[in-house]
Amino acid sequence: MKKIGIFFGSTTGTCEAVAGKLAEQLSVDSADVKSAADFDESVSEYEVLILGTSTWGDGELQDDWFSAVDVLKSLDLSGKTVAVFGCGDAMGYPDSFCSAMKPLYDAAVAAGATVLEGPSADAYQFGSSEAVVDGKFVGFPLDEMNEPDLTDERLAPMVSAIQSL
């Protein structure tokens, strides 16, 4: 299996908990992006990156990602695979559900990475999301607030795809 790095931004601990779950399933470590010293150097040592964020307000990226997303855009991620996951609240914020995945996706694409395709938006109940492109999410959206029982099922395709790399 390729060398995997998980980086997340978490304010309330929800995204951190999901990153921990993924780390356990893949037998790797995870790191909070705000405490990842020399983020650009940290990222370069991995062949597969899993990037996680929560969505705030009207679809904003989690605070710890603001400078890191600019660093991500500036890197050469050619030949690397990126998976994005997002934590959102489809009932409380139905019109921006997991929208913060989009800036991470855009940064990874701009840096030349291959990004794993997310699930069909039809599998979720929400109003709208910036993270939906051509009917599919740009990453793997999770609703730990209202549907925590679906998290493992929603992460399974991503974990399986990463394990098969």
Side-chain angles (χ1 to χ4, degrees):
M1 188 163 44
K2 295 186 177 191
K3 190 168 182 188
I4 302 166
I6 301 173
F7 296 91
F8 63 89
S10 188
T11 301
T12 64
T14 302
C15 200
E16 180 176 12
V18 172
K21 181 179 287 210
L22 283 168
E24 205 172 287
Q25 290 176 8
L26 294 166
S27 300
V28 299
D29 293 325
S30 64
D32 189 324
V33 72
K34 76 176 177 190
S35 63
D38 300 320
F39 178 65
D40 56 338
E41 291 178 26
S42 296
V43 167
S44 67
E45 65 185 77
Y46 298 103
E47 298 165 285
V48 177
L49 300 170
I50 300 173
L51 310 175
T53 185
S54 49
T55 298
W56 289 90
D58 293 327
E60 288 93 36
L61 190 61
Q62 194 274 340
D63 289 350
D64 298 335
W65 274 107
F66 282 126
S67 61
V69 77
D70 290 333
V71 171
L72 200 58
K73 283 182 209 173
S74 72
L75 299 174
D76 179 6
L77 299 181
S78 302
K80 294 183 187 286
T81 301
V82 171
V84 178
F85 74 90
C87 297
D89 180 351
M91 293 178 126
Y93 297 92
D95 294 325
S96 61
F97 178 61
C98 290
S99 286
M101 290 192 300
K102 185 72 161 70
L104 295 181
Y105 167 84
D106 289 343
V109 168
T114 299
V115 181
L116 293 181
E117 185 176 77
S120 169
D122 294 341
Y124 293 78
Q125 293 183 347
F126 65 103
S128 63
S129 176
E130 293 291 318
V132 174
V133 175
D134 297 330
K136 292 190 178 237
F137 279 99
V138 298
F140 296 82
L142 307 168
D143 187 343
E144 289 287 278
M145 302 295 297
N146 305 296
E147 301 175 324
D149 55 316
L150 296 177
T151 296
D152 288 340
E153 175 184 328
R154 289 176 171 168
L155 288 175
M158 179 176 68
V159 170
S160 178
I162 289 169
Q163 288 173 327
S164 69
L165 292 173

